[in-house]
Amino acid sequence: MTTPPRWLRPTRPGQPPRLEYGADYNPEQWPREVWDEDVRAMRAAGVTVVSLAIFSWALLEPEEGAYDFGWLDEVMDLLHAGGIAVDLATATASPPPWLTARHPEILPVDRHGRTVWPGGRQHWRPTSPVFREHALRLVRRMAGRYATHPALAAWHVSNELGCHNAYDYSADAAAAFRAWLQRRYGDLAALNAAWGTAFWSQHYSGWSQVLPPRMAATHPNPTQQLDFKRFSSDALKDHLRAERDVLRELTPDVPVTTNFMVMGGTKAMDYADWAAEVDFVANDHYVQRTARPLDELSFSANLTGNLAGGRPWFLMEHSTSAVNWQPINVPKRPGDLERHSLTHVAHGADAVCFFQWRQSRAGAEKYHSAMVPHAGEDSTVFRDVTALGETLRRLAAVAGRDRTRARVAVLFDWTSWWAVEQDSHPTDRLRYREEALDWYSALLDLGVRADVLPVGADFADYDLVVAPVLHVVPAGLRQRLEAYVAGGGHLVTTYFSGIVDEHDHVWLGGYPGALRELLGIRIEEFAPLPDGDRATLDNGTAGTLWTDRIEVTGEGVEVLARYGDGRPAITRREHAGGSAAYVSTRLGPDGLAPLLGELLGRSGVESELPPELRGRVELAVRGEFRFLINRTDEPVGLAGLPGEPLHGPLDRLGPRGVTVLRAPE
Ligand code: GLA
Ligand code: GLA
């Protein structure tokens, strides 16, 4: 079998490596004469690639089996003539009205048994055989028609799989869930054991009794919920694979991707498990109005880069300015368009694309920013977009460079994320991703580079491994962590870590179960904090959310900080060469920074930045290229940094500015 290329297929002979630039392009929303304008303006802006036909099913197949590819042929030809490559969608993201009218059985059903009707988009069941058949027929048509088109650089399967249809509780989902469970457990006895069905009279005596966790009288079975999350991620992955396999069969030399959503607020897809299914990783990211939006962006880009195994990835969507789907949609500030884009590039993106090229006149996204806004090309946004195109051209030498590994890893685990935020826990206030982000922010505040690493990746060679709320620790992971520390590694973990196995069954004998020996501590009862309560520590910091009543049980355990009542709050156990530390409360970035400073010191990790830049500047490295990103709204002096500036001034970063340096020979 041919191995598909790991990056865009070149659409011009001898095309030199470059950073790609572009957007989702929806020409079907515009009259024919606008298309010529589009290609002209794309060239002016430096656009090299567009994603096409994402929501075009109803126009490409207006009636069942009747196809109209004429308009798409013309757009493909126009783009190619303009030197613009196409990341062509399979067009299956949103089923057309004729399909849902004829086959309402493809519509998802929510946990209350209510049908999700057409009218928006993505109203299809991931497990519907009827939907799958219709979608694959279209994919086959698309692949057959455009296989040899010279503009075709990559395939874009569907769009943001699971954005709106991740959890479906329909009859199709029930049947597929049962089949998935049969593969996972083999027999019903194993399922009963794993789900702990002796509880609340939930014992199953036949497979047909097993259902998705539909709206129940009270807390549905937690293992059933966790398995349903695993299954739902797998069901969407299965759809991705089905489309991909058709594409690989018909166009083996064209790479296949799909746009992930590695960002806050979307957790249904285990992208660590999906990443190997695509020829290159693509991601969408939208800035959220959180306490530290730039850190969240960096965290997402960093995780995406590590999902890609350190290799370059494709930023498929972000926004030039405001979006339309947050409660209040604030435009970006001057400098942020470039800073956001280059932060993604700093973490390995070799393509910077937006949703979308031309701002829509009609439809739900008409107030979403684009490269060409309603105001037209005579606008600040378009001028900024054009300047960014120029910047990316100047940075072409970066293309193809892998991320350079850091010495610190922050572990990220979808299973723990899912499990820890289920109901009927000690507190419902715990947010997995926020705790992970706090540690990442604290590292940025200290000027220390870290890799946000999927937990399944090899972390053996990192000097310090941070494992925030690593709640689900199966025996295999416990062994990996123990081997890491035994091998001289330094581990730090937090409250509610090591508590359950893969079935969400508690490890007995005292918390933190699977990590008790490694940490040399024992906890009999959790002590989460009510809203507004703070637990003061004797190191001058204070915790919220959670505390533990820790008893020190192991040899060589040092108490790094205590609560007001004298009980241990932060501990660290020395092992031969390595160590294992435990933080029993939520300290936030400001409280974590001094602690991390100490832990970094003991693991021999230092900031690669001069002291005056630490915290004010984020450093990211790709080979010989160093990205210096101003995290503040003030200018920052860069005097004395070695290297040749590829972008931005060498002596001073402007507010929100970015400088890219090439290391001296
Ligand atoms: C998602 C979708 C796009 C568009 C944007 C708007 O990322 O993939 O089609 O709806 O959101 O932000
Ligand atoms: C009620 C029920 C118990 C138990 C508790 C939990 O009292 O009768 O079975 O579920 O709630 O607090």
Side-chain angles (χ1 to χ4, degrees):
M1 201 185 108
T2 339
T3 314
R6 305 290 301 180
W7 192 243
L8 301 186
R9 178 173 77 165
T11 54
R12 298 274 161 199
Q15 192 175 283
R18 63 184 185 192
L19 296 177
E20 303 289 339
Y21 189 42
D24 284 11
Y25 181 36
N26 299 303
E28 63 268 50
Q29 296 177 15
W30 297 94
R32 171 67 186 81
E33 57 273 19
V34 177
W35 302 354
D36 299 306
E37 282 297 289
D38 284 335
V39 175
R40 181 196 49 74
M42 284 177 190
R43 292 175 62 87
V47 165
T48 61
V49 66
V50 293
S51 295
L52 196 60
I54 293 176
F55 296 107
S56 305
W57 191 344
L59 293 182
L60 292 174
E61 190 182 4
E63 289 295 336
E64 178 154 15
Y67 296 93
D68 175 12
F69 287 114
W71 68 271
L72 187 56
D73 293 350
E74 199 178 344
V75 177
M76 293 282 288
D77 293 348
L78 268 180
L79 289 164
H80 188 62
I84 294 158
V86 175
D87 166 54
L88 187 59
T90 55
T92 58
S94 203
W98 62 257
L99 179 52
T100 50
R102 190 165 307 155
H103 293 290
E105 73 274 21
I106 73 167
L107 296 171
V109 174
D110 76 4
R111 57 194 282 271
H112 300 270
R114 297 178 300 213
T115 298
V116 175
W117 293 99
R121 64 174 175 187
Q122 216 175 60
H123 37 273
W124 51 274
R125 301 177 184 177
T127 57
S128 162
V130 176
F131 177 78
R132 181 73 58 89
E133 185 191 328
H134 282 83
L136 294 189
R137 197 183 305 149
L138 180 63
V139 176
R140 199 162 274 284
R141 281 284 176 147
M142 294 287 285
R145 186 155 191 108
Y146 297 106
T148 57
H149 197 288
L152 179 64
W155 288 112
H156 179 116
V157 167
S158 192
N159 188 61
E160 289 192 342
L161 287 162
C163 184
H164 315 292
N165 63 350
Y167 297 123
D168 165 42
Y169 299 81
S170 66
D172 282 335
F177 186 39
R178 255 173 240 132
W180 183 94
L181 291 165
Q182 279 164 351
R183 285 194 298 277
R184 182 173 175 85
Y185 294 112
D187 60 35
L188 212 45
L191 177 133
N192 276 308
W195 285 18
T197 56
F199 182 79
W200 280 356
S201 185
Q202 292 173 351
H203 181 86
Y204 295 98
S205 56
W207 279 103
S208 62
Q209 300 154 16
V210 179
L211 294 169
R214 291 174 177 156
M215 171 66 194
T218 182
H219 313 294
N221 181 300
T223 316
Q224 176 193 18
Q225 292 191 59
L226 186 58
D227 274 348
F228 188 66
K229 291 185 174 91
R230 292 176 168 129
F231 154 78
S232 298
S233 177
D234 281 358
L236 286 156
K237 185 178 74 172
D238 205 56
H239 185 86
L240 163 63
R241 292 163 58 115
E243 289 203 15
R244 181 205 62 194
D245 289 348
V246 171
L247 297 167
R248 282 194 178 160
E249 175 199 328
L250 298 177
T251 59
D253 61 331
V254 182
V256 179
T257 193
T258 191
N259 43 347
F260 293 176
M261 296 171 282
V262 179
M263 53 191 267
T266 311
K267 68 173 175 188
M269 282 65 65
D270 180 351
Y271 292 126
D273 178 49
W274 287 36
E277 306 292 346
V278 290
D279 295 318
F280 58 83
V281 166
N283 192 45
D284 296 350
H285 183 271
Y286 289 93
V287 176
Q288 312 271 337
R289 288 185 66 75
T290 54
R292 289 166 169 251
L294 192 65
D295 292 358
E296 193 283 329
L297 188 161
S298 171
F299 182 95
S300 295
N302 190 321
L303 176 55
T304 305
N306 285 301
L307 290 170
R311 286 185 299 276
W313 53 278
F314 197 116
L315 176 64
M316 193 63 83
E317 295 180 21
H318 69 318
S319 66
T320 59
S321 192
V323 299
N324 65 299
W325 44 264
Q326 293 177 4
I328 300 173
N329 296 296
V330 176
K332 290 194 178 180
R333 296 171 305 167
D336 266 339
L337 175 66
E338 181 190 275
R339 180 168 64 162
H340 294 167
S341 296
L342 294 188
T343 302
H344 289 292
V345 175
H347 287 285
D350 264 6
V352 172
C353 290
F354 294 102
F355 178 82
Q356 63 177 327
W357 164 249
R358 188 178 286 281
Q359 187 170 7
S360 301
R361 281 192 76 189
E365 293 179 329
K366 60 183 176 295
Y367 298 120
H368 192 296
S369 61
M371 293 174 91
V372 182
H374 287 155
E377 291 168 53
D378 181 10
S379 58
T380 304
V381 165
F382 190 72
R383 280 185 282 276
D384 287 352
V385 156
T386 305
L388 179 60
E390 182 51 41
T391 297
L392 295 173
R393 266 200 297 270
R394 249 196 331 270
L395 291 174
V398 173
R401 289 294 185 289
D402 289 353
R403 292 167 51 84
T404 299
R405 265 180 56 147
R407 295 179 59 192
V408 179
V410 178
L411 297 186
F412 195 83
D413 178 27
W414 266 269
T415 308
S416 285
W417 190 3
W418 292 339
V420 92
E421 294 184 10
Q422 293 201 147
D423 55 281
S424 54
H425 278 185
T427 174
D428 69 1
R429 304 295 204 261
L430 199 165
R431 294 291 171 272
Y432 173 78
R433 208 169 169 285
E434 285 180 11
E435 181 66 40
L437 199 47
D438 283 352
W439 286 84
Y440 187 70
S441 283
L443 287 159
L444 287 173
D445 288 350
L446 294 167
V448 171
R449 248 171 7 100
D451 288 336
V452 184
L453 205 66
V455 75
D458 183 7
F459 49 76
D461 291 336
Y462 285 88
D463 294 284
L464 177 66
V465 168
V466 181
V469 198
L470 190 59
H471 184 66
V472 181
V473 179
L477 178 55
R478 171 190 176 157
Q479 281 157 15
R480 290 176 63 215
L481 293 166
E482 286 174 351
Y484 168 71
V485 172
H490 298 276
L491 172 75
V492 54
T493 187
T494 71
Y495 59 91
F496 219 30
S497 295
I499 304 300
V500 296
D501 67 9
E502 65 273 31
H503 301 309
D504 201 25
H505 292 200
V506 171
W507 290 107
L508 298 179
Y511 313 125
L515 304 177
R516 198 175 57 230
E517 296 292 322
L518 189 61
L519 294 162
I521 58 171
R522 184 168 178 271
I523 296 158
E524 292 179 27
E525 254 196 311
F526 306 120
L529 295 175
D531 289 340
D533 276 18
R534 290 162 66 81
T536 309
L537 273 60
D538 65 1
N539 68 354
T541 64
T544 58
L545 183 81
W546 196 283
T547 62
D548 285 314
R549 295 172 182 158
I550 298 174
E551 177 195 346
V552 171
T553 51
E555 296 281 306
V557 175
E558 182 187 358
V559 177
L560 299 183
R562 293 180 185 276
Y563 291 112
D565 62 5
R567 292 174 193 259
I570 303 173
T571 61
R572 180 173 177 278
R573 183 175 197 185
E574 287 282 353
H575 291 261
S579 70
Y582 182 79
V583 182
S584 64
T585 185
R586 181 167 185 211
L587 291 174
D590 294 343
L592 288 173
L595 168 67
L596 258 173
E598 187 174 346
L599 297 176
L600 287 163
R602 296 205 198 181
S603 33
V605 179
E606 278 173 26
S607 169
E608 297 156 274
L609 288 168
E612 64 277 14
L613 297 190
R614 295 177 193 165
R616 302 166 74 194
V617 170
E618 174 180 356
L619 170 71
V621 185
R622 294 180 65 178
E624 70 269 40
F625 300 102
R626 290 157 64 88
F627 289 73
L628 297 151
I629 303 158
N630 189 345
R631 299 172 72 214
T632 77
D633 297 334
E634 311 294 327
V636 176
L638 288 181
L641 283 186
E644 165 212 346
L646 218 61
H647 168 71
L650 180 55
D651 57 332
R652 175 180 171 277
L653 273 174
R656 302 192 271 278
V658 180
T659 283
V660 185
L661 297 176
R662 189 201 295 259
E665 294 288 317

